[in-house]
Amino acid sequence: MKLHYSKQDGESKDFDIGERSITIGRSPDADIILLDEKVSRVHCGIRLWDGEFYIKDLKSKNGTYVNGRRVEVCKLKPSDVIKVGSYTFTFEQPAGTGTETALREISDEMDMGKGYSTLLKEIVGNSDQAPEPKPAPAPTADNQGKPMTRRLPTRPPIRLNIKRPQA
């Protein structure tokens, strides 16, 4: 995750946020230093907690705002707008591969000649490397000394039709 903001001189700046907590304020000890009289020395902090990012106002005089609302503590979501003094930050998440992109990439590979088996092996790994299944335990004898046989429930076979997209 990252915070995107513009400095007073107009320079655009990105600050990467990871597992380490960060502070925003006027103090030289802050991770992001903002030279603004409306910003407290240690104005607010952002931290990762239980897999989510949270922002906390650290008793600042002028408050911390998320999407136009003053907050004490707030869970951050991608594209949230954070206002600290006269600075505006955007909480951003780097773009990942979406479903449409993945499907388009698979379709392109198929157009170049790759088959379903090859693609599946690449996605799930090589099945030859899978460990051999353990054999089922031998049936034991019943009260009359006859071996017990176990019947498995019968199910109709599953039919899977895969159609190649038309060019």
Side-chain angles (χ1 to χ4, degrees):
M1 300 300 278
K2 67 180 178 178
L3 284 176
H4 177 78
Y5 67 103
S6 295
K7 293 170 55 176
Q8 287 180 335
D9 63 1
E11 178 187 353
S12 191
K13 193 98 166 143
D14 287 328
F15 189 90
D16 290 323
I17 303 173
E19 292 184 17
R20 189 176 72 82
S21 299
I22 65 160
T23 55
I24 300 172
R26 261 189 1 248
S27 169
D29 296 330
D31 296 299
I32 298 177
I33 302 169
L34 304 178
L35 302 176
D36 182 352
E37 66 274 356
K38 295 178 185 173
V39 176
S40 298
R41 283 178 297 193
V42 182
H43 195 96
C44 62
I46 298 176
R47 70 177 292 187
L48 180 65
W49 185 68
D50 202 22
E52 304 285 347
F53 285 94
Y54 288 83
I55 188 165
K56 180 178 182 180
D57 185 80
L58 300 174
K59 302 190 188 311
S60 67
K61 182 178 177 184
N62 294 312
T64 301
Y65 294 82
V66 176
N67 299 325
R69 188 176 55 101
R70 189 172 182 157
V71 298
E72 293 298 317
V73 176
C74 179
K75 182 168 95 170
L76 294 172
K77 300 179 296 303
S79 75
D80 276 348
V81 176
I82 302 164
K83 185 101 165 134
V84 177
S86 58
Y87 286 83
T88 302
F89 296 84
T90 306
F91 185 68
E92 297 177 348
Q93 180 175 10
T97 302
T99 305
E100 290 181 21
T101 304
L103 290 173
R104 186 176 58 250
E105 288 175 359
I106 290 172
S107 177
D108 291 345
E109 289 187 32
M110 289 177 69
D111 290 343
M112 294 177 68
K114 276 192 181 177
Y116 289 107
S117 298
T118 304
L119 289 171
L120 286 173
K121 284 180 184 177
E122 289 177 359
I123 293 170
V124 297
N126 193 344
S127 62
D128 295 338
Q129 297 173 353
E132 289 292 320
K134 294 181 181 178
T140 59
D142 66 3
N143 292 341
Q144 298 170 358
K146 296 179 189 173
M148 292 179 57
T149 57
R150 187 172 53 171
R151 293 191 177 237
L152 298 174
T154 59
R155 292 185 181 164
I158 298 173
R159 174 164 280 166
L160 181 62
N161 291 325
I162 301 174
K163 295 183 180 179
R164 184 177 287 262
Q166 300 297 320

